[in-house]
Amino acid sequence: MMTFRMPLRRSLLSLTTGMSLILTGTSVAVPKTGHAASAEKHRHVRATEKPRSQAAVTHPSHPHRTSVQAAEGENIVVNTQIHHTPSGITGRDVGGGLMKKQTATVAISTVTRDFIAAQSPASSSYELLRMVPGTNVAMSDPYNMQSGNFIVRGLNGDEIGFLMEGAPLNNVGTYVTIPSQYPDGDNVDSESLQPTTVDLTAPMIGAAGGLTRMTLRNPADKFGGQVNATFGSYDTYRQSVRIDSGLLGNSGVKFYVGYSHLLGKNWRGPASPYRRDHIDFKLQKDWEEVGTTKLVVAYTDYRLDMLTTPTMSQYRNYGNNYNYSNQFTGTNPTYYKLHGEDAGTLIVSAPTDLSFLDNTLKINLTPYLYHSWGGFAYGATLPNSGAAFYGNTPVTLDMSGLPSHGASTIVNVPTTFDIEHPGINAVASWKHGINTVKAGYWFDYTRQTYETTYGGVSASGSPLSLLGSDSTNAHLKDGTEYKSTNWLTETYTHGLYLGDEINAFNDKLLAEAGVKFVWIHRPGYNYIPGPQSNVDQNAFQVTPQVGFRYQFTPEHQIFLSGNTAFRMPTANSMFNSYNGATGNLLIAGNNQQKNEFSISEEIGYRYTGKQIMATASFFNYNFTNRQISTAAIINGGSVNTFINAGGETGRGVDVEIGTRPWHHFRPYVSGEYLHVTTDNNLRFGNDYLPTAGKIAVRAPKWSASMGLNYDDGSLFGNVNMKYIDSQYSTFMDDESLPAHTNVDLAIGYRFHSGLHFKQPELRLNIQNLAGSTYLSGSNSVTGAAHATRGIHGTMIAGSAPTYYLGAGRAFIGTFSVGF
């Protein structure tokens, strides 16, 4: 038997499990240890003697095959079955990229490039997590330009924390997220979800529903990139390009820049155009054994006309045909051009990871900046007389700059905002024996302004200025610009972490405990006449957490955890807001709310086998002082307000199962059983709705996902199905969304590389394959849809919830090629 020398043996031992070697005519003796032993059954070896030389060559026409010139006389051809396409697909990840091995003390679901790269290029961060257990994604258009919602275990999207490379993305004032402003899926490496738990050192508050982490792809070591061109339904097309610099000399620096441009028209209603321009940038500097510094930048600029969110009655009567008007009559503020949005966002994160003292001391520093600006508008009317209200004060307006088209003046009412959100998160850990002590500090400053003005409309119905300008807006008689909203808040957040982690029994046991101390100070300034002017909010909260994980064998693992979370009331809950035409109260400020607090517990089991991976987790959570934005009776009228809804209890079980490739197939299934109840009666005016014991809103009892992926390196495709059970949209459980099922399909082919082009690829994505009409989620929830008698005998008026209308069928074709 002929045995190769050590250089070849090292190369064979470094091959990943699952590679097959085809060596023409020579036997090769390889020690069966480590990965080599476990992979033996996947290998077939033959060899013949050839002229002696040693080199490794990648076949340009066969990107999954490598020839190794082992010696002058032997030619080794390696069929890896692990391909790395220009878009980052390996073809090996569990469940088609919908599962990843986890070792944490809490439940975590992760989607990887294998799944992300096969989705529609316009998929948002919400959409990428739609298949994992416990998620309920409510989107209203195929290209994710419109607002939507992301619900986890029955908890609304404003309860979910989002991080991008360590930078928090939630609006600190309202806790909401806007996924269309986040990085392109082209450049996202993975996205993970921790339902109803948050890491001790995460720079986040108000995330009782869980934490989502987004990690971008790293720059490549060699110069190259990828170009994509997408054409789809509703006159949509998208182009994107990504260029990698490769390593710059011996500096340890590499970076990439990606740009995308999206144009299209709304899929229902008037064919109004939308546009999105986006830039992603990531630079990485390696300090050899010391650590790594990264600079990540995401910039977005977009413009669109918004879609309607119908009530149940409007949906039943009109279906997809209920929309804003496509004609301007001079008297209809529902004309679609009076419901636009124009905004921009800049997100910057610069995480640095350093290791000292033989990796016993580690330091992470993450400065970040989130800056968002722009606004949204709707149509309204003002009397030609100029009679109006400035806050709660009656005034007469100077209407000379506002064209009149009838008995009243149609006006464009934009709300503009500017949110500046810098901060820094610093964490140090010291390992000594089996103990690792963690300590850290987080500082966050947020400054946000909101203004609502009234602007002129042309004879064609277009706003003279979508977001308003001094020259086209209404003014008071003294020349002051007329506004119905004008406030500023500043939020100062200080967080202190302290925790300990124990790894014992050869890392089989992981035990961790910690506590976070958070101080928040929020001064607010209201510049509209009314009962509030300068208002402060202050909070101090301690949030402990604990977790355990035990690895019985390499395949079997159990975990359990206990976590706490809190959030203070939203910034816009501090002030009253009034209807400029009538003076009626629109939003009632409530500065006396208590902080929301939650406790969650979880116990779970993980199985990681050679072919199958599975997880099951049982969870329970309890809220006190649950913060709800809803409708209430104030001064005899129904207005929006922020109230303390008391307690809420939720419990259930999540399950997910996926496989590694089996004849190129990778199936995946997940599901959830959920039972969430409202624990208290809801106060409305001087009475209470009898809601105690009712099923909570946005909490479907059952949900399930099924995915099937096929990828042989050339031909690939996947089909993904999501079922969501019916769910209530009122706290009295007197109105609900019907259950619905959505199926998405993708199929594509990768061609051989040639010339300077790497694996040209054609892909067709079909969203909502059946073309069904359905409601995807609740836009607003109310106490009751119908008049209900309160606990004290008062008849409490009903208010209709509104809904997101699920996106129609869309065909999305993409051509991509690497270079």
Side-chain angles (χ1 to χ4, degrees):
M1 177 179 290
M2 182 178 195
T3 303
F4 289 127
R5 298 297 181 186
M6 186 59 69
L8 176 59
R9 185 175 298 170
R10 280 201 204 100
S11 68
L12 290 174
L13 290 174
S14 67
L15 293 175
T16 307
T17 301
M19 294 183 179
S20 63
L21 304 184
I22 302 178
L23 311 182
T24 316
T26 297
S27 299
V28 182
V30 180
K32 296 181 182 179
T33 59
H35 291 295
S38 64
E40 177 64 25
K41 65 178 181 179
H42 298 291
R43 299 179 177 173
H44 175 62
V45 180
R46 302 191 317 267
T48 9
E49 291 206 348
K50 302 264 180 188
R52 283 178 120 21
S53 64
Q54 186 166 342
V57 181
T58 299
H59 291 261
S61 60
H62 297 281
H64 316 143
R65 178 179 298 175
T66 301
S67 295
V68 180
Q69 301 294 332
E72 199 179 78
E74 294 96 58
N75 182 38
I76 304 174
V77 179
V78 180
N79 283 331
T80 67
Q81 298 183 20
I82 300 180
H83 47 277
H84 292 268
T85 71
S87 59
I89 292 178
T90 68
R92 299 293 303 173
D93 291 349
V94 176
L98 284 166
M99 286 191 75
K100 187 176 181 179
K101 183 178 180 179
Q102 307 290 351
T103 59
T105 63
V106 298
I108 301 179
S109 295
T110 300
V111 297
T112 69
R113 282 301 301 169
D114 274 23
F115 178 77
I116 296 169
Q119 306 309 297
S120 164
S123 293
S124 71
S125 57
Y126 287 2
E127 281 284 281
L128 296 179
L129 291 170
R130 68 189 184 276
M131 296 289 288
V132 304
T135 61
N136 179 3
V137 178
M139 300 303 295
S140 56
D141 78 287
Y143 299 97
N144 298 285
M145 288 293 293
Q146 304 283 341
S147 296
N149 205 351
F150 182 71
I151 301 160
V152 175
R153 292 179 175 176
L155 298 174
N156 197 47
D158 59 1
E159 296 275 7
I160 314 300
F162 277 77
L163 293 177
M164 183 209 75
E165 294 280 0
L169 305 181
N170 298 64
N171 180 325
V172 173
T174 61
Y175 306 108
V176 300
T177 55
I178 306 176
S180 61
Q181 300 177 357
Y182 301 160
D184 282 341
D186 300 336
N187 303 313
V188 175
D189 182 66
S190 66
E191 190 170 2
S192 62
L193 171 67
Q194 295 176 211
T196 61
T197 63
V198 176
D199 288 349
L200 175 68
T201 58
M204 187 68 61
I205 60 170
L211 180 67
T212 293
R213 293 181 182 274
M214 186 187 308
T215 302
L216 271 61
R217 299 171 66 185
N218 287 329
D221 289 339
K222 295 183 178 180
F223 174 82
Q226 188 175 25
V227 176
N228 302 278
T230 298
F231 301 87
S233 304
Y234 317 112
D235 295 335
T236 297
Y237 67 95
R238 177 184 185 270
Q239 306 88 37
S240 67
V241 60
R242 166 188 162 125
I243 299 176
D244 284 89
S245 69
L247 284 168
L248 302 179
N250 297 319
S251 65
V253 174
K254 55 185 178 179
F255 69 87
Y256 69 76
V257 60
Y259 169 74
S260 69
H261 175 66
L262 174 68
L263 284 178
K265 295 179 180 178
N266 279 341
W267 73 275
R268 62 183 177 92
S272 57
Y274 56 78
R275 173 193 55 80
R276 178 182 184 268
D277 290 282
H278 182 83
I279 296 173
D280 286 325
F281 172 83
K282 186 172 185 178
L283 179 146
Q284 181 172 318
K285 162 64 177 175
D286 291 324
W287 305 97
E288 296 181 349
E289 295 182 358
V290 176
T292 302
T293 296
K294 300 175 183 178
L295 174 63
V296 182
V297 180
Y299 169 81
T300 307
D301 179 73
Y302 68 93
R303 167 71 171 85
L304 57 86
D305 290 314
M306 292 181 285
L307 295 172
T308 55
T309 51
T311 64
M312 185 63 70
S313 175
Q314 292 163 341
Y315 168 69
R316 287 172 176 167
N317 289 333
Y318 302 101
N320 289 353
N321 295 320
Y322 180 77
N323 296 291
Y324 292 117
S325 174
N326 61 358
Q327 292 184 343
F328 183 63
T329 64
T331 60
N332 58 330
T334 58
Y335 183 50
Y336 78 94
K337 289 187 178 180
L338 297 176
H339 297 266
E341 187 173 350
D342 192 345
T345 302
L346 175 67
I347 306 169
V348 181
S349 180
T352 294
D353 293 291
L354 303 174
S355 297
F356 304 99
L357 305 177
D358 293 328
N359 290 328
T360 60
L361 176 63
K362 296 184 178 181
I363 297 175
N364 171 267
L365 297 173
T366 306
Y368 60 84
L369 169 68
Y370 178 96
H371 185 199
S372 184
W373 62 91
F376 53 90
Y378 62 91
T381 60
L382 287 175
N384 288 339
S385 64
F389 283 82
Y390 187 37
N392 61 354
T393 304
V395 295
T396 300
L397 303 180
D398 177 3
M399 306 280 287
S400 59
L402 279 66
S404 176
H405 308 293
S408 59
T409 300
I410 301 295
V411 289
N412 177 58
V413 185
T415 295
T416 57
F417 56 84
D418 188 87
I419 303 169
E420 298 173 358
H421 179 197
I424 186 169
N425 192 34
V427 180
S429 64
W430 179 60
K431 182 176 176 60
H432 181 70
I434 64 173
N435 278 80
T436 301
V437 178
K438 295 182 179 180
Y441 171 71
W442 167 44
F443 173 74
D444 184 285
Y445 169 76
T446 298
R447 182 185 187 275
Q448 52 187 350
T449 62
Y450 281 83
E451 297 182 358
T452 301
T453 57
Y454 292 74
V457 175
S458 70
S460 66
S462 297
L464 298 180
S465 174
L466 176 63
L467 299 184
S469 67
D470 186 75
S471 61
T472 60
N473 286 348
H475 291 75
L476 304 181
K477 289 296 185 180
D478 64 1
T480 302
E481 191 172 30
Y482 173 56
K483 301 175 182 178
S484 60
T485 302
N486 186 8
W487 55 262
L488 158 70
T489 62
E490 297 177 289
T491 304
Y492 301 85
T493 304
H494 301 267
L496 187 65
Y497 321 115
L498 184 61
D500 186 42
E501 180 181 293
I502 297 174
N503 283 275
F505 308 120
N506 294 322
D507 288 335
K508 288 185 177 181
L509 172 66
L510 171 63
E512 53 189 13
V515 63
K516 180 188 294 187
F517 305 88
V518 180
W519 297 264
I520 302 176
H521 172 56
R522 177 183 290 155
Y525 310 94
N526 187 18
Y527 305 110
I528 298 296
Q532 304 104 352
S533 53
N534 294 354
V535 182
D536 281 3
Q537 290 179 336
N538 295 280
F540 172 74
Q541 191 68 57
V542 179
T543 54
Q545 56 183 246
V546 63
F548 299 90
R549 184 263 296 156
Y550 189 77
Q551 189 85 41
F552 290 98
T553 70
E555 294 83 18
H556 301 280
Q557 176 190 134
I558 62 168
F559 61 93
L560 60 94
S561 65
N563 289 267
T564 58
F566 93 104
R567 72 174 187 178
M568 64 189 300
T570 57
N572 52 348
S573 69
M574 300 169 71
F575 313 112
N576 283 359
S577 181
Y578 300 89
N579 185 305
T582 66
N584 291 336
L585 188 63
L586 291 177
I587 298 177
N590 183 354
N591 200 40
Q592 303 303 313
Q593 282 197 75
K594 297 180 180 179
N595 292 331
E596 177 183 276
F597 190 80
S598 65
I599 301 175
S600 63
E601 305 91 17
E602 187 173 46
I603 183 169
Y605 164 78
R606 296 186 181 110
Y607 173 77
T608 306
K610 294 181 179 179
Q611 191 63 30
I612 296 175
M613 189 178 293
T615 301
S617 57
F618 300 84
F619 59 88
N620 178 82
Y621 61 77
N622 299 90
F623 279 84
T624 55
N625 300 314
R626 184 83 159 92
Q627 295 171 14
I628 299 292
S629 172
T630 185
I633 305 301
I634 297 178
N635 299 327
S638 178
V639 300
N640 291 326
T641 189
F642 297 84
I643 65 174
N644 186 331
E648 182 174 290
T649 300
R651 53 180 56 96
V653 58
D654 287 341
V655 177
E656 63 178 336
I657 303 172
T659 77
R660 292 182 172 85
W662 180 76
H663 298 287
H664 307 301
F665 286 99
R666 291 177 289 173
Y668 170 87
V669 295
S670 71
E672 178 181 82
Y673 167 77
L674 180 67
H675 182 76
V676 185
T677 57
T678 301
D679 298 337
N680 298 86
N681 295 321
L682 238 60
R683 182 170 182 172
F684 274 73
N686 295 319
D687 207 340
Y688 292 83
L689 280 173
T691 56
K694 301 283 188 184
I695 298 297
V697 296
R698 298 186 176 117
K701 185 175 182 179
W702 299 98
S703 62
S705 301
M706 294 181 63
L708 181 62
N709 173 274
Y710 177 88
D711 194 332
D712 66 7
S714 296
L715 179 66
F716 65 94
N718 61 70
V719 57
N720 297 308
M721 182 189 76
K722 182 78 175 191
Y723 167 79
I724 301 293
D725 202 1
S726 61
Q727 52 189 297
Y728 290 112
S729 52
T730 68
F731 288 90
M732 281 299 299
D733 293 353
D734 59 352
E735 186 169 299
S736 63
L737 292 82
H740 65 271
T741 302
N742 191 52
V743 179
D744 297 330
L745 175 70
I747 188 168
Y749 190 84
R750 302 185 194 97
F751 299 90
H752 295 314
S753 302
L755 299 176
H756 298 290
F757 302 108
K758 298 179 181 178
Q759 289 190 271
E761 177 184 301
L762 285 173
R763 183 173 79 251
L764 174 66
N765 291 91
I766 306 176
Q767 296 185 248
N768 189 1
L769 181 64
S772 55
T773 300
Y774 65 98
L775 297 175
S776 62
S778 299
N779 173 50
S780 68
V781 296
T782 64
H786 309 288
T788 304
R789 190 169 299 278
I791 296 295
H792 300 316
T794 305
M795 284 302 297
I796 300 174
S799 179
T802 59
Y803 302 93
Y804 295 110
L805 190 56
R809 180 167 48 213
F811 296 86
I812 305 166
T814 301
F815 171 76
S816 63
V817 62
F819 59 89

